[in-house]
Amino acid sequence: MLETDTAFHLGAELDRAVNRMDFFRLFKALAVEHDSEHFVLVELSSDDQPLDLNRGHSLHNVSDVFLDSEAVSAKRDDPLVACLLTSTAPKSFDAATTKTPLIAQCGSKSAVVVPLHTAGGKRFGLILLRNRARPLHREVALIAYDASIVFQRYFEVVLSLDSISGLSRREIQIVSWTSEGKTSSEIAIILGLSEHTVNSYIAAILRKLGVVNRAQMVASALRNGLIS
């Protein structure tokens, strides 16, 4: 296939992707390629908590207005969430017969759910909220294939590195702001946390990275590619 015929999310940009913003663009391009206005890549928890679009390494292009609503807390008995938790096969849903906050709030006509997992056993799921009718099995299979390729690259260059450090997304945010010279009180304001909470995060980060102060923390994060 010629390079010009290759979808954006499967072409040269896939090889060049090195951070979460790059993969946000790739998953968004994947969604557009398959007639989907919204995508949600969510990391699944092992407990009984609702689906959290801000958890861990999740990526999505759902609006902030929706995130602020109660609908974001999709329960584990929600059909889309239940599929991610109980199935290893991709599945499509029709909006007319599927009652779920994600479809309803985004005004979509159908959804496709693709269960994914890392080599270390962490479970993820990709949800595409589509502008068109429920797709046929062949198209669902193509979506799952594309998703597996992009997700594999995401694991290789982002997820595997973060799992080595053991840092959560919030902890990486705090390290990043610290590298910019921000104090705990300034970071607290930026992230909407208390200063005590920020200091608790920093203490945990120091412990995980095996360092003793903030300067060493930033140096270690830079050395391991956790921040740039």
Side-chain angles (χ1 to χ4, degrees):
M1 179 179 291
L2 295 176
E3 181 66 27
T4 54
D5 296 328
T6 303
F8 176 87
H9 60 285
L10 300 180
E13 293 301 319
L14 180 64
D15 293 330
R16 286 196 284 262
V18 296
N19 56 43
R20 288 180 179 81
M21 183 55 67
D22 291 338
F23 285 99
F24 174 88
R25 288 193 288 267
L26 289 172
F27 279 109
K28 184 177 180 180
L30 185 156
V32 171
E33 178 75 11
H34 294 287
D35 300 304
S36 305
E37 182 177 4
H38 301 289
F39 79 89
V40 175
L41 176 72
V42 63
E43 182 178 356
L44 304 175
S45 63
S46 58
D47 50 30
D48 291 328
Q49 295 301 311
L51 185 69
D52 183 356
L53 304 193
N54 290 313
R55 181 177 186 273
H57 301 285
S58 302
L59 298 171
H60 63 84
N61 66 341
V62 178
S63 71
D64 291 339
V65 173
F66 175 62
L67 288 179
D68 291 337
S69 73
E70 293 182 359
V72 72
S73 296
K75 305 298 184 183
R76 293 169 73 88
D77 58 357
D78 177 286
L80 303 187
V81 180
C83 181
L84 289 176
L85 294 172
T86 61
S87 176
T88 58
K91 186 176 181 180
S92 63
F93 296 84
D94 187 272
T97 57
T98 304
K99 304 301 181 183
T100 170
L102 280 171
I103 291 180
Q105 290 293 320
C106 293
S108 303
K109 294 181 179 180
S110 66
V112 175
V113 171
V114 182
L116 299 161
H117 61 84
T118 69
K122 286 189 177 181
R123 300 180 64 189
F124 287 74
L126 178 67
I127 301 173
L128 296 187
L129 300 168
R130 291 165 46 92
N131 306 318
R132 299 179 63 182
R134 183 177 181 179
L136 299 176
H137 293 300
R138 181 178 182 277
E139 187 174 359
V140 173
L142 288 174
I143 292 172
Y145 175 76
D146 284 7
S148 66
I149 292 176
V150 179
F151 183 76
Q152 176 61 30
R153 176 68 178 172
Y154 187 42
F155 170 73
E156 290 173 355
V157 303
V158 174
L159 301 182
S160 61
L161 182 61
D162 287 358
S163 65
I164 291 172
S165 71
L167 299 189
S168 68
R169 185 180 67 166
R170 178 67 81 189
E171 288 170 334
I172 291 173
Q173 285 178 325
I174 289 173
V175 174
S176 180
W177 283 116
T178 301
S179 72
E180 298 289 334
K182 303 298 184 183
T183 65
S184 291
S185 60
E186 290 171 330
I187 295 172
I189 293 172
I190 292 169
L191 298 180
L193 304 171
S194 70
E195 185 175 353
H196 173 75
T197 298
V198 172
N199 286 331
S200 295
Y201 271 119
I202 290 175
I205 295 167
L206 295 178
R207 196 163 54 247
K208 289 179 180 181
L209 295 181
V211 296
V212 297
N213 57 46
R214 298 187 187 207
Q216 290 182 0
M217 174 183 77
V218 170
S220 177
L222 287 169
R223 185 168 57 250
N224 288 291
L226 299 178
I227 60 174
S228 57

